[in-house]
Amino acid sequence: MATENYDPCYPDQPAVHRYLPVWARMPAFAAKPAFVWADDDAATGAMSYTALTYSELNAAVDRMASGLLGTLRRGDTVLVLASPGLRLVKLLFACQRAGLTAVPVIPPNPSRPGPAHAHLLRAVSQTRPRAAVADARYVTAVASSRLAAALSGLRWLSVDELDEGDAAALSSAMAGHAGCGAGDAYLVQYTSGATGVPKPVVVTAGSAAHNVRAARRAYDLGPGSTIVSWLPQYHDCGLMFLLLTVVSGATSVLASPDAFLRRPRLWLELISEFKATCTPVPSFTLPLVLRRGGGRSASAHGLQRTVQLGSLRNLILINEPIYKTCVDEFVAEFGRHGLRAESVSPSYGLAENCTFVSTAWRSIGGRVERLPSYNKLLPSARLPSSMTHEASEIEIVVVDEKTGEPVRDGTEGEVWVSSPSNASGYLGHPSASHEAFCGRVPGRAGSLFVRTGDRGVVTGPERYLYVIGRSVDVIVTELDGRVHAHYIETAALCSAPDSLRGGCIAAFTAPATASSKEQMCVVAELQKGSRSDDHTSLCDGIRRSVWEAERVRVGRVMLVQSGAVPKTTSGKVRRGAAREKLVARRYPVVFEALYDDDGVSEIPTPAVGDEDGQMEERCAASWMAGEGGVPAMATTLGRPSRRIRVQSFL
């Protein structure tokens, strides 16, 4: 295999943390910022920046790894609950250098029960950590909250103390210690939960290193690259780009998701300020920025900072499906600020392959090709042609999900992925792991594929792959057709974009109120401050728009308060949870309409208290217990784990 190195004097490393001392020893990199934290003052809007050089990062990782090993042993599992920022970056690399298995979880508000509490308890029950690392203030808050009893079996460590520890006094803990090897489990990251309860995916250090090297090549990143990211640093793309920064020798400018959601234009200002060449964002970012303070509306919002986006080579879009019209509108608006259509990089990824799988963006001799579309969507990959005998380290095939046989180009099927980046399975769930991670194409020996559960189609002579949606979200229409739920949701939004919240509409089938027959349901959040009082017309418009666009007859439309539709931390609608919530009558309903062949029946429904937290705990019960069927959390909280076994169930 051809060398990937940017300097022939050193070999590629088996684990990402081992790149740090390499860069720290090089004069050209020692004083170069690896990460910059951008802090946006919520009250004044003033910006401040804190830089962390490669030399400082390497020293901090050594110091914190020594501190961790003062309490823990190599192979232990540790829950990572630190707040977003440079300390969290240091801690994630320190866990890898200490040879620990990190379980990053967004820290929930200790005093506010809900789905985040349920997820934290699920993570503790499934991964059995020996310790938890968090901000000192958070440790104190947990001790006086209702979480204290459930988490009493954990040893709590302060990330503040680890960061400020005496490196000389702790150096003995690191003597002769090489950290995570390529085959060691370094991370348990949870799936998004878009189609069910989040599952714990075991990732080895070697798989992660391979994955970010593949992404580095795909996006053509290097020491001259500057990345801007506000994504959560705890999993998926946000975490992967921390590793990608170090492997590339690049600089990454980070901000918190809260700062972006509070002021979306911050993202564009950081790209402009640091002349960023690469930025990864969920596809919902584009319409959000257009609606709240981007482009021509900036002056109306009192934002006078100019933006210049001409430095961008990769506007990486994640969270398929990716609609062409949405991208075209954004490019049209910001093209006058230097944004080039050629920078748009639709991409595909999943936790079961570490994160990155593919991108449709490709630079050939400095020239970037424009992308086609299929059924309103942009492609997420360009697959090798059998005529050119191209090879790829991450192989993608589209198969008949019943037989595993590859389908012809132009035929929709399930997307399967095979590569050294494949994760090792779901922790504690051998049968589910075998089902998802051990797909085999008939007639091909050796290769194992991840069954992604995504539907895709390959079209055109360039063999572009379009990821159309999830298999579980396919809806069979009364005309014996099949339509993906997101097309229905998009049609619903188009009926009243000024009154409904984009990305906050769920379409699914559920039993009719008067019978057990399934009917098409649409649950739509109203925008805050929506001026529309004619809710009947809104519901009628949704039903009419869906029929005209997709020939699907909607039997029930529910308008709900803002924030009511269940979503993942990455912004995906959780349609299964939305359906369960409707059946349980747990939505804060503003207005509801039922339809039949004879007309419409309006149902004025009082708002119902949102009990997402209780529902989350109920639907997660089986995954909390694992396949051993032990439902009691008390049996696991007091038993800290040793090294997670990553291959035993495959």
Side-chain angles (χ1 to χ4, degrees), residues 276-493:
T277 60
C278 175
T279 185
V281 293
S283 54
F284 72 76
T285 302
L286 307 189
L288 179 65
V289 170
L290 284 173
R291 189 171 66 249
R292 292 181 50 205
R296 295 181 178 87
S297 63
S299 297
H301 286 256
L303 300 170
Q304 302 301 326
R305 298 174 188 167
T306 59
V307 296
Q308 176 51 247
L309 308 178
S311 59
L312 269 183
R313 296 188 70 230
N314 298 110
L315 172 54
I316 298 172
L317 301 178
I318 57 177
N319 281 19
E320 67 288 333
I322 301 169
Y323 280 82
K324 183 178 186 299
T325 54
C326 175
V327 175
D328 287 347
E329 289 173 6
F330 189 83
V331 172
E333 178 68 33
F334 288 99
R336 60 196 182 92
H337 293 278
L339 180 66
R340 300 185 303 275
E342 293 79 8
S343 68
V344 175
S345 309
S347 301
Y348 176 50
L350 64 155
E352 288 85 348
N353 195 61
C354 291
T355 293
F356 174 77
V357 172
S358 62
T359 181
W361 183 89
R362 181 174 296 188
S363 175
I364 302 176
R367 180 178 61 86
V368 179
E369 300 178 355
R370 297 292 291 268
L371 299 175
S373 64
Y374 172 85
N375 204 7
K376 305 177 185 178
L377 305 179
L378 289 176
S380 298
R382 182 176 176 179
L383 305 189
S385 168
S386 58
M387 302 295 293
T388 59
H389 304 288
E390 297 177 68
S392 175
E393 285 190 278
I394 299 180
E395 183 180 4
I396 303 172
V397 295
V398 179
V399 305
D400 182 310
E401 56 196 288
K402 294 181 180 178
T403 66
E405 293 279 0
V407 299
R408 293 177 179 271
D409 286 4
T411 302
E412 186 176 316
E414 185 179 12
V415 180
W416 286 14
V417 177
S418 177
S419 83
S421 295
N422 286 169
S424 300
Y426 301 127
L427 180 63
H429 292 270
S431 61
S433 298
H434 189 273
E435 174 67 21
F437 289 85
C438 295
R440 291 186 182 275
V441 174
R444 289 188 50 179
S447 296
L448 294 179
F449 287 82
V450 169
R451 298 181 174 100
T452 68
D454 291 318
R455 306 284 295 174
V457 62
V458 178
T459 67
E462 302 88 355
R463 305 200 70 227
Y464 281 108
L465 169 70
Y466 298 83
V467 179
I468 301 175
R470 298 285 294 178
S471 298
V472 296
D473 292 329
V474 175
I475 294 170
V476 180
T477 71
E478 58 189 277
L479 302 177
D480 292 328
R482 293 176 179 269
V483 61
H484 289 273
H486 64 83
Y487 285 117
I488 296 173
E489 294 158 0
T490 299
L493 176 64

Side-chain angles (χ1 to χ4, degrees), residues 28-336:
F29 285 88
K32 175 185 176 179
F35 296 96
V36 177
W37 182 256
D39 192 8
D40 182 41
D41 188 283
T44 66
M47 295 296 302
S48 61
Y49 306 104
T50 305
L52 182 67
T53 68
Y54 274 97
S55 178
E56 292 169 339
L57 176 58
N58 184 57
V61 168
D62 262 345
R63 182 172 63 249
M64 295 178 78
S66 296
L68 289 167
L69 290 175
T71 302
L72 305 170
R73 290 180 291 174
R74 187 180 190 277
D76 283 345
T77 300
V78 59
L79 194 67
V80 174
L81 288 164
S83 299
L86 295 182
R87 272 183 172 159
L88 176 57
V89 174
K90 300 174 196 175
L91 178 59
L92 290 169
F93 285 107
C95 288
Q96 193 175 113
R97 184 163 295 178
L100 305 174
T101 301
V103 186
V105 175
I106 297 175
N109 186 329
S111 61
R112 187 180 301 167
H117 274 212
H119 179 62
L120 172 61
L121 297 179
R122 179 191 306 118
V124 172
S125 177
Q126 291 176 335
T127 65
R128 307 180 187 184
R130 182 177 290 272
V133 185
D135 299 350
R137 289 182 297 177
Y138 191 79
V139 176
T140 301
V142 168
S144 59
S145 74
R146 63 177 64 188
L147 283 173
L151 303 178
S152 60
L154 288 175
R155 170 75 181 271
W156 287 87
L157 303 176
S158 164
V159 69
D160 312 62
E161 294 179 5
L162 290 173
D163 193 24
E164 297 165 2
D166 184 348
L170 297 170
S171 60
S172 60
M174 293 292 293
H177 185 69
C180 282
D184 291 331
Y186 104 95
L187 175 72
V188 176
Q189 71 169 348
Y190 278 80
T191 59
S192 67
T195 59
V197 177
K199 304 178 185 69
V201 180
V202 180
V203 179
T204 65
S207 294
H210 174 272
N211 196 244
V212 291
R213 285 198 296 267
R216 180 180 73 183
R217 288 192 298 276
Y219 298 120
D220 194 23
L221 300 181
S225 301
T226 300
I227 300 163
V228 164
S229 173
W230 51 263
L231 299 177
Q233 301 166 333
Y234 299 88
H235 58 83
D236 289 348
C237 199
L239 175 56
M240 188 268 280
F241 263 83
L242 301 181
L243 307 183
L244 182 56
T245 298
V246 169
V247 168
S248 303
T251 296
S252 192
V253 181
L254 306 173
S256 75
D258 288 344
F260 166 77
L261 293 174
R262 186 170 60 245
R263 193 168 71 85
R265 189 177 169 87
L266 168 67
W267 169 54
L268 303 180
E269 292 171 0
L270 292 176
I271 294 171
S272 182
E273 175 75 18
F274 289 90
K275 296 180 172 57
T277 60
C278 175
T279 185
V281 293
S283 54
F284 72 76
T285 302
L286 307 189
L288 179 65
V289 170
L290 284 173
R291 189 171 66 249
R292 292 181 50 205
R296 295 181 178 87
S297 63
S299 297
H301 286 256
L303 300 170
Q304 302 301 326
R305 298 174 188 167
T306 59
V307 296
Q308 176 51 247
L309 308 178
S311 59
L312 269 183
R313 296 188 70 230
N314 298 110
L315 172 54
I316 298 172
L317 301 178
I318 57 177
N319 281 19
E320 67 288 333
I322 301 169
Y323 280 82
K324 183 178 186 299
T325 54
C326 175
V327 175
D328 287 347
E329 289 173 6
F330 189 83
V331 172
E333 178 68 33
F334 288 99
R336 60 196 182 92

